[in-house]
Amino acid sequence: MTTASTPRGDIRDASADPFRERSGCRRALSRQILGARFRFESASEALLQQVEAAYGGLPPHRLPTAVPEFRVELRLSPPRLSPGGGEPPPVQTQAGAGWICGVMDASNYVMLAPAQQRALVVASADMLERPYHLRYELIEFAVFTLATRGQGLVPLHGACVGRRGRGVLLLGASGSGKSTLALLALLQGLDFLAEDAVFVQPHAMLATGVANYLHVQADALRFVDAAGARRWIGEAPVIRRRSGMEKFEADLRRGPGRLAAAPLELVGAVLVSARPAANATALLSAVRAADVAARLSADQPYASGQPGWPCFAQRMMAMGVHELRRGKHPRDGVAALRELLGDG
């Protein structure tokens, strides 16, 4: 029998166990993520190492609700016969009969049963050579979906930074500069919550996230003055997004700055724009209250269809939403965020 420490992990004789119900000796790994307790089980040490790379060393956020426990089983399947040299196929999603499925191909897929708080992640051995896709499109698919459905969170595509327990959402289209703004906010002393995905408990308006990696393009380095911070980013691995864009993947747990130790209480949202400001001293402008709902829905098409959206949108309209135009330097945008946070 193959041991759990080998790359083959839990690959077993299909004729003796056609449905893979006897996966052999498993090891469990528990982590506090997005306010919930996740128990990862696998006979593959290599897959558990990917879990640790994604979620080890994160601040253990707690939300003001009972802490649910989700169980995620990870299985390593045989290498694909012809994996090819390019990126794997994109994940296709389906739902029905109480299940949510994300299928990359016949050897790489995710099956979730939100009502039972459980998920199965299956990955082929060759996917271990593509850790970015394995983490973000398979493991993260399971974690984010279970946490969102199981706790009634509103999942947002955006970033969040804060100070003294208060936070501001950074929303806007891809390429608007959210990641660069979040990076400069981190380097200038604001607490960093998340860069790409933020999850909000709508009744308390508490935001949580996974502050593991920061993804920035090479041109963002020109805004970083500190030699240590430039080295931290410049020596990070480079990942290639599905769009073809290449970015540094810098580990926030090994870099400068502070990660938000607890969920942040939101005080507002900023729609980050790539358009330059007409007045360099007035980058922020309030979005008209009558336009807030439409602007938020257009920016967050998936989140706007979730059960918690009406409460979130109503609370956000009361708080206020601003548009942030681009200044001469991202640090000018950080100064505007400090104003919203009352951290002058």
Side-chain angles (χ1 to χ4, degrees):
M1 180 186 297
T2 306
T3 63
S5 60
T6 67
R8 288 180 57 83
D10 56 0
I11 301 169
R12 296 172 63 86
D13 183 1
S15 62
D17 185 16
F19 296 106
R20 309 285 300 281
E21 296 172 283
R22 302 186 298 275
S23 59
C25 180
R26 296 183 189 174
R27 187 166 76 84
L29 182 67
S30 293
R31 291 289 178 267
Q32 184 92 3
I33 310 167
L34 302 177
R37 193 74 174 166
F38 279 84
R39 178 182 172 89
F40 300 92
E41 299 175 350
S42 184
S44 169
E45 190 67 30
L47 287 178
L48 289 175
Q49 288 173 0
Q50 291 300 318
V51 171
E52 185 64 17
Y55 306 118
L58 294 175
H61 286 189
R62 291 285 302 269
L63 294 169
T65 55
V67 180
E69 180 171 280
F70 301 106
R71 295 181 64 181
V72 180
E73 181 180 343
L74 302 109
R75 291 187 184 178
L76 197 65
S77 63
R80 291 174 294 174
L81 295 178
S82 302
E87 65 183 17
V91 171
Q92 303 294 321
T93 56
Q94 289 285 347
W99 291 89
I100 296 175
C101 302
V103 180
M104 186 178 284
D105 57 31
S107 301
N108 295 277
Y109 52 89
V110 181
M111 298 178 63
L112 300 107
Q116 280 121 31
Q117 302 183 161
R118 302 192 68 167
L120 170 66
V121 177
V122 177
S124 57
D126 55 278
M127 281 295 290
L128 295 171
E129 300 172 6
R130 297 175 172 84
Y132 173 77
H133 293 290
L134 173 56
R135 286 201 313 268
Y136 285 94
E137 298 186 8
L138 296 176
I139 298 174
E140 188 174 273
F141 182 103
V143 169
F144 284 6
T145 305
L146 285 177
T148 300
R149 301 295 177 96
Q151 299 181 104
L153 304 180
V154 176
L156 302 170
H157 174 59
C160 184
V161 296
R163 184 72 165 161
R164 298 188 179 94
R166 293 155 57 88
V168 61
L169 289 172
L170 308 180
L171 308 176
S174 295
S176 60
K178 298 187 299 295
S179 295
T180 301
L181 181 60
L183 167 63
L184 268 290
L186 171 77
L187 297 180
Q188 293 190 41
L190 293 185
D191 295 336
F192 192 100
L193 183 94
E195 173 254 339
D196 190 56
V198 182
F199 301 83
V200 178
Q201 205 287 331
H203 296 286
M205 289 302 278
L206 290 173
T208 183
V210 175
N212 48 11
Y213 296 100
L214 175 72
H215 298 94
V216 291
Q217 292 179 265
D219 63 0
L221 286 172
R222 71 183 190 272
F223 301 119
V224 179
D225 298 327
R230 289 177 60 86
R231 186 164 53 251
W232 165 59
I233 298 171
E235 293 177 353
V238 175
I239 57 95
R240 183 181 178 88
R241 289 259 168 99
R242 292 277 183 189
S243 63
M245 184 178 296
E246 293 187 342
K247 292 190 173 187
F248 289 110
E249 185 177 60
D251 193 329
L252 288 158
R253 295 156 292 187
R254 300 180 180 180
R258 292 191 306 267
L259 305 184
L264 298 178
E265 182 179 355
L266 294 177
V267 298
V270 166
L271 294 168
V272 181
S273 173
R275 298 171 61 186
N279 183 347
T281 62
L283 306 186
L284 277 177
S285 60
V287 176
R288 291 193 318 158
D291 297 333
V292 167
R295 293 283 299 271
L296 287 177
S297 294
D299 188 73
Q300 302 291 325
Y302 175 70
S304 62
Q306 300 306 301
W309 180 264
C311 178
F312 167 80
Q314 185 177 33
R315 295 291 303 277
M316 193 55 67
M317 283 188 281
M319 291 178 182
V321 175
H322 290 76
E323 182 177 81
L324 177 66
R325 296 286 182 90
R326 186 166 293 185
K328 294 182 179 179
H329 193 285
R331 71 168 66 95
D332 300 329
V334 177
L337 297 181
R338 286 186 180 277
E339 290 181 27
L340 288 180
L341 289 167
D343 188 48

